[in-house]
């Protein structure tokens, strides 16, 4: 065994359950004795990704692969896709509807936060087909984060 | 590793092994084996939840008996702010303070006084912006202990000031020593406590090596003895606290002392955990201060109190209504170095992790997940562990056997035909 693997179904219809995957993973990482700073980064990045799957893409599947030196997160959905990834990554850019904004989301800070809290991040998206976000957080330093 | 003293303990004769307590413990510290409950010492935070929930009164708080007064030549009573909310129709705090003197204490120092000083010190510290935001209150020792074992990422946020009781004991003892000329060991500072967490906090303090509190008696032990001593006339003026000090007795009171609207107050251990989880995920972006109390309603909800917490909260409001805002200030308080600031930092104690080594921990977690697959997932508690996952972890830690699960002995074929549902039987 070299990795532990967990999958989480993200229900795109039940907003009140968004965040379950990140809080469940957080408990596991704590039991594994992962440093607090790493847990913090992973749970913030994953939570934002999870919320995006619910708000912008009707849910999907999260896969976590963890080895002693790194945590890989793969967030795959079959939602509407992101037409311009570079634009979506900009702080403050959001297509969130007013009703979502009234709940305090839609500041356009999710993707920038995910970028900030992960050591590596990559987005693949096709309009009308879906989006997959790959994020990696290293446990004991790992290779240095490349400039954004 | 530090030794563990706990105020909360089990009365073996009374425990029936009913498992009512195991699920309520916020740190999963209780197991039932051979029809008796056990508390895993390193996990317990002395919150008192299990005392509250035990139908057989088998969980108890160890406090000092009132006889402790005899050990000292000079005694100081330190009544908690919430203590003033335990009496019916009390319109004047002085009635309680005078009764404490009549009971036999030489002097009274209100913890509420020290609370006003801590409020002032907190305001000053917050103004420096040296602490990471939001700052988390350190006044409830059950919460501080919870953070220490479960929320390592938040340790930096905990306000590094002594709780009002500790400040009160330090100042009161020093003043009494000057006044009487007695050596400190002849002076006893005795706290009248709403909760077991405060007992533990004085016997095994965090943030300091030795507490200045010499003894802790339960509100419930002294309450009935004070009632006949409470008189309305010919009492001395004694109280030196304003609204802020007394407010500390219920949830939101500490926040009100900050004179800043950017705060949040949560009470009840489950709510506290929810707030800490969200805080860890940085879900509160614009909050400066967080007050957390393990008990519902704040310290008025402490398990050693006698009055219903909600009634007590109303009483506290009533008593403080006509008081000035605050009577104690940093500039005029008689403080020396160390009265307020922690002597030792708070350190993370990873009692919940599976192994020291991440690799080993991962192997163990894989075993836990395998075992978990084979369990029913009902979290029924009949095995003596609070959840199926907790049993699986215990098995991997070598503390339990998978055969402790009562469903492992059951055979599906034994189910009488009328109870079988229409669906197909699961494959072999
Ligand atoms: N999984 C996704 N599927 C489709 N579109 C997405 C997805 N994730 C993000 N987007 C698009 O990218 C935009 C920016 O996302 P980002 O998370 O940064 O902000 P937001 O979700 O709109 O607001 P916030 O995260 O601050 O609440 C979104 O408004 C949305 O248009
Ligand atoms: S006092 Fe609190 S932490 Fe300790 S065993 Fe009881 S419920 Fe658990
Ligand atoms: S809320 Fe007050 S009474 Fe309850 S455990 Fe904390 S300090 Fe004790
Ligand atoms: Mg977002």
């Amino acid at each position: 065994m070299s990795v532990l693997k967990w999958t989480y179904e993200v229900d795109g219809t039940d907003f009140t359950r968004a965040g379950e995957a990140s809080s469940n993973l957080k408990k596991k990482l704590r039991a594994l004795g992962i440093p607090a700073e790493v847990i913090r980064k992973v749970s913030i990045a994953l939570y934002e990704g999870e919320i995006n799957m619910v708000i912008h893409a009707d849910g999907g599947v999260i896969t976590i692969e963890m080895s002693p030196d790194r945590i890989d997160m793969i967030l795959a959905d079959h939602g509407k896709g992101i037409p311009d990834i570079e634009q979506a990554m900009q702080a403050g850019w959001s297509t969130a509807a007013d009703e979502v904004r009234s709940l305090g989301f839609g500041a356009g800070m999710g993707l920038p936060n995910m970028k900030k809290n992960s050591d590596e991040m990559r987005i693949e998206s096709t309009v009308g087909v879906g989006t997959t976000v790959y994020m990696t957080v290293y446990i004991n330093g790992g290779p240095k984060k490349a400039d954004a | 590793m530090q030794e563990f003293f706990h105020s909360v303990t089990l009365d073996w004769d009374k425990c029936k092994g009913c498992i009512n307590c195991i699920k309520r413990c916020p740190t999963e510290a209780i197991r039932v084996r051979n029809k008796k409950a056990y508390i895993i010492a390193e996990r317990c935070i002395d919150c008192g939840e299990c005392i509250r929930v035990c139908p057989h009164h088998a969980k108890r708080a160890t406090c000092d008996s009132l006889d402790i007064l005899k050990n000292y030549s000079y005694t100081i009573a330190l009544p908690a702010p919430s203590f003033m909310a335990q009496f019916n129709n009390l319109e004047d705090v002085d009635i309680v303070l005078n009764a404490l003197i009549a009971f036999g204490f030489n002097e009274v120092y209100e913890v509420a006084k020290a609370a006003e000083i801590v409020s002032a010190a907190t305001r000053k510290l917050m103004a420096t912006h040296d602490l990471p935001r939001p700052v988390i209150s350190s006044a409830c020792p059950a919460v501080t202990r919870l953070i220490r074992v479960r929320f390592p990422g938040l340790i930096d946020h905990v306000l590094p000031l002594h709780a009002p009781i500790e400040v009160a004991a330090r100042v009161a003892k020093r003043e009494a020593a000057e006044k009487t000329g007695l050596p400190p060991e002849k002076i006893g500072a005795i706290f009248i406590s709403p909760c077991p967490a405060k007992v533990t906090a004085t016997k095994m303090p965090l943030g300091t090596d030795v507490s200045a509190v010499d003894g802790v008696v339960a509100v419930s032990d002294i309450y009935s003895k004070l009632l006949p001593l409470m008189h309305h006339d010919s009492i001395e003026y004694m109280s030196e606290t304003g609204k802020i000090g007394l407010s500390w007795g219920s949830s939101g009171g500490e926040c009100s002392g900050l004179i800043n609207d950017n705060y949040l107050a949560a009470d009840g251990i489950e709510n506290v955990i929810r707030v800490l989880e969200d805080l860890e995920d940085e879900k509160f972006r614009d909050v400066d201060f967080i007050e957390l109390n393990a008990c519902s309603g704040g310290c008025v909800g402490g398990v050693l109190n006698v009055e219903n917490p909600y009634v007590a909260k109303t009483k506290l409001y009533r008593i403080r209504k006509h008081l000035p805002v605050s009577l104690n200030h940093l500039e005029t308080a008689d403080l020396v170095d160390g009265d307020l600031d922690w002597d030792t930092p708070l350190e993370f104690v990873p009692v919940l992790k599976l192994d020291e080594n991440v690799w080993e921990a991962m192997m163990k977690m894989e075993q836990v997940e395998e075992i978990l697959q084979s369990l029913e997932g009902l979290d029924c508690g009949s095995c003596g562990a609070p959840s199926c996952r907790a049993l699986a972890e215990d098995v991997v830690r070598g503390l339990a056997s998978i055969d402790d699960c009562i469903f492992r002995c059951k055979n599906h074929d034994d189910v009488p035909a009328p109870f079988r549902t229409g669906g197909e039987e699961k494959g072999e």
Side-chain angles (χ1 to χ4, degrees):
Chain A
M1 184 207 68
S2 64
V3 290
L4 285 171
K5 192 169 162 176
W6 301 294
T7 54
Y8 300 96
E9 302 272 342
V10 177
D11 184 340
T13 60
D14 190 353
F15 189 75
T16 60
R17 292 183 54 189
E20 276 186 6
S22 52
S23 63
N24 181 287
L25 181 64
K26 194 162 79 174
K27 288 203 183 91
K28 291 191 164 114
L29 297 181
R30 248 184 234 146
L32 290 173
I34 302 300
E37 179 56 19
V38 174
I39 298 183
R40 196 184 65 84
K41 285 166 65 179
V42 168
S43 51
I44 293 170
L46 189 60
Y47 174 75
E48 292 286 3
E50 212 180 331
I51 291 280
N52 280 357
M53 290 169 85
V54 175
I55 292 183
H56 306 297
D58 307 319
V61 176
I62 295 175
T63 309
I64 308 292
E65 287 183 2
M66 124 137 234
S67 46
D69 58 344
R70 60 189 284 163
I71 299 163
D72 293 293
M73 300 171 259
I74 303 159
L75 293 74
D77 67 58
H78 297 289
K80 60 180 188 284
I82 305 175
D84 184 343
I85 293 175
E86 211 177 305
Q87 186 180 46
M89 288 297 299
Q90 280 168 16
W93 170 263
S94 174
T95 60
D98 286 346
E99 54 201 274
V100 178
R101 287 175 200 265
S102 68
L103 291 170
F105 297 96
M109 288 311 293
L111 290 172
N113 250 335
M114 289 156 73
K115 176 89 186 164
K116 190 173 110 201
N117 285 289
S118 57
D119 296 311
E120 280 169 25
M121 175 168 149
R122 184 163 58 88
I123 301 176
E124 284 171 6
S125 189
T126 310
V127 174
V129 178
T131 304
T132 304
V133 180
Y134 301 85
M135 291 188 285
T136 301
V137 173
Y138 291 102
I139 294 176
N140 292 313
K144 280 280 158 279
K145 184 172 180 165
D147 270 31
Chain B
M1 187 172 263
Q2 223 174 345
E3 250 188 75
F4 288 90
F5 162 89
H6 287 292
S7 171
V8 175
T9 52
L10 184 84
D11 183 337
W12 274 65
D13 295 333
K14 289 186 180 159
C15 178
K16 303 264 190 292
C18 69
I19 71 171
N20 270 304
C21 56
I22 59 177
K23 277 182 191 275
R24 287 289 290 273
C25 174
T27 55
E28 298 197 328
I30 311 174
R31 297 291 182 277
V32 172
R33 290 282 134 72
N34 300 323
K35 299 200 177 142
K36 295 287 171 200
Y38 292 81
I39 300 176
I40 304 170
E42 53 176 15
R43 290 190 182 190
C44 173
I45 57 168
D46 292 277
C47 65
E49 274 309 295
C50 54
I51 298 183
R52 222 171 251 133
V53 73
C54 177
H56 310 289
H57 304 289
K59 294 277 193 350
R60 59 190 172 193
T62 308
C63 298
D64 293 304
S65 87
L66 289 166
D67 287 339
I68 193 167
L69 268 72
K70 296 182 191 139
N71 298 354
Y72 301 94
S73 322
Y74 190 86
T75 53
I76 310 165
L78 305 165
S82 57
F83 189 54
M84 304 307 156
Q86 305 301 307
F87 305 92
N88 286 329
N89 306 320
L90 182 80
E91 67 276 9
D92 187 351
V93 169
D94 280 333
I95 296 172
V96 178
L97 307 186
N98 277 265
L100 285 165
I101 299 290
F103 176 78
F105 285 100
N106 297 97
E107 189 184 313
V108 180
Y109 189 102
E110 297 160 274
V111 175
K113 252 183 95 168
E116 292 191 341
I117 298 170
V118 174
S119 284
T122 309
R123 290 196 296 269
K124 192 172 163 199
L125 198 57
M126 301 271 300
T128 65
H129 292 273
D130 286 345
L131 302 172
R133 300 296 154 108
V135 174
I136 304 173
S137 159
S138 56
C140 173
V143 171
T144 311
R145 268 156 223 269
L146 178 70
I147 292 172
R148 189 172 81 129
V149 298
R150 240 180 99 162
F151 296 96
L154 297 176
I155 284 183
D156 290 351
H157 291 252
V158 179
L159 182 70
L161 295 179
H162 292 308
I165 173 58
E166 188 61 37
V167 177
R170 288 176 186 218
V171 175
K173 279 191 83 162
R174 194 175 50 247
E175 286 178 359
E178 280 161 17
K179 190 167 91 183
T180 61
L182 288 167
E185 61 274 15
K186 298 232 166 191
I187 301 171
I190 314 293
F191 181 39
I192 299 167
S193 176
C195 71
K198 291 282 191 194
V199 182
T200 304
T202 61
K203 311 279 181 207
M204 206 188 75
L206 297 178
T208 178
D209 290 332
V210 191
S211 168
V213 179
D214 299 296
V216 184
V217 299
V219 167
S220 50
D221 283 344
I222 200 168
Y223 181 74
S224 59
K225 308 214 164 46
L226 282 194
L227 290 179
L229 303 171
M230 292 180 49
H231 302 298
H232 291 247
D233 18 69
S234 64
I235 53 169
E236 255 184 78
Y237 288 113
M238 290 177 71
S239 179
E240 292 173 6
T241 37
K243 272 196 181 68
I244 287 180
L246 278 180
S247 301
W248 275 67
S250 68
S251 177
E254 181 181 5
C255 283
S256 70
L258 294 178
I259 321 188
N260 165 345
D261 288 338
N262 242 349
Y263 64 74
L264 177 160
D267 53 291
I269 195 75
E270 311 241 317
N271 298 327
V272 165
I273 291 172
R274 228 169 290 150
V275 169
L276 291 171
E277 293 281 358
D278 284 355
L279 203 53
E280 212 178 31
D281 294 347
E282 298 191 350
K283 287 187 199 156
F284 304 120
R285 291 190 185 151
D286 307 308
V287 179
D288 281 335
F289 190 85
I290 300 207
E291 173 187 337
L292 299 171
N293 288 288
C295 297
S296 294
C299 294
V300 286
V303 280
L304 300 175
N305 278 334
V306 293
E307 181 58 283
N308 168 304
Y310 298 95
V311 176
K313 195 165 187 162
T314 309
K315 288 181 178 173
L316 209 52
Y317 271 115
R318 202 174 298 148
I319 307 168
R320 70 175 184 232
K321 203 158 90 191
H322 300 294
L323 295 179
V325 175
S326 177
L327 288 174
N328 298 276
H329 309 281
L330 272 184
E331 304 72 38
T332 46
D334 186 11
L335 299 172
V336 301
D337 269 358
D339 279 349
L340 284 167
D341 299 321
W342 277 356
D343 319 322
T344 49
L346 191 63
E347 268 171 34
F348 177 46
V349 186
V351 297
L352 300 172
K353 76 176 177 189
L354 286 164
D355 202 281
E356 285 304 311
N357 175 295
V358 176
W359 177 251
E360 288 297 321
M362 283 180 61
M363 308 277 258
K364 287 185 180 172
M365 182 160 294
E366 196 176 39
Q367 292 168 26
V368 168
E369 313 243 315
E370 254 166 47
I371 295 171
L372 198 54
Q373 291 294 315
S374 74
L375 297 172
E376 297 290 306
L378 295 179
D379 294 338
C380 69
S382 304
C383 59
S387 64
C388 295
R389 173 169 282 272
L391 175 67
E393 285 185 14
D394 286 354
V395 172
V396 170
R397 288 178 206 265
L399 303 171
S401 154
I402 190 158
D403 297 321
D404 292 340
C405 173
I406 59 163
F407 292 98
R408 305 273 299 176
C409 338
K410 288 228 177 109
N411 190 331
H412 279 287
D413 296 340
D414 293 345
V415 180
F419 292 128
R420 281 191 214 144
T421 49
E424 288 107 85
E425 288 280 300
K426 285 233 180 83
E428 301 298 283

